[in-house]
Amino acid sequence: MKNTGTLVELIQRLDEFEDSDRFHPLIIYAKDGANAGRNSPALICPRSEGGSPTCPLDASLSEVLSLEQARDAIAVWSAWRGGLTPSPEDRFRTVMFFSQHGAYFPLETDREGM
C-alpha cells in the first residue's frame, strides 16, 4: 500500500491503513505540518515509542496528526451532522482543524461558510 502522496489524497485514504500497533501508532506527516495545504507532500508511517518516525522521513515533513485522531475527528464530524458522509473537502478541513486547534470541527463553522 502506498503511504505517500499529497495530504488531501492521504486523508481520503485513511481507511486503507491498518493501525493496530499501539506502541507504533501511524502518524500523518506533511510539509508544514499542521499548516500544510491540500497539495503538500505527505506520508503516513509509524512513530516509535521514543516519538520519532520509524520510516525514512524527509526533513521538510513534520507531524500533522495521528491516524487515530484523524479518523476520530471525521467520525465526530459525521455524527454531529446526523451521519452525513463528509465530502473530500469536509474530510480535509476537519482533519486540519483538529490538527491546528485540538478540537472537533464545530457545527457553527458550517453555517458561517468557513
Side-chain angles (χ1 to χ4, degrees), residues 9-67:
E9 289 170 347
L10 290 182
I11 289 172
Q12 297 315 303
R13 296 180 36 233
L14 293 179
D15 295 335
E16 296 176 16
F17 294 90
E18 177 68 35
D19 190 25
S20 59
D21 185 348
R22 65 184 183 109
F23 296 109
H24 300 96
L26 291 178
I27 306 297
I28 304 167
Y29 296 93
K31 185 173 183 185
D32 298 324
N35 297 311
R38 298 172 53 78
N39 296 316
S40 294
L43 167 73
I44 293 179
C45 74
R47 179 172 51 202
S48 70
E49 290 179 48
S52 59
T54 60
C55 60
L57 186 64
D58 180 325
S60 71
L61 303 182
S62 56
E63 187 170 327
V64 175
L65 202 59
S66 75
L67 191 71

Side-chain angles (χ1 to χ4, degrees), residues 87-102:
S87 69
E89 182 61 23
D90 291 330
R91 288 175 65 97
F92 177 77
R93 290 184 343 175
T94 297
V95 168
M96 296 312 290
F97 187 90
F98 194 92
S99 177
Q100 294 166 359
H101 302 285

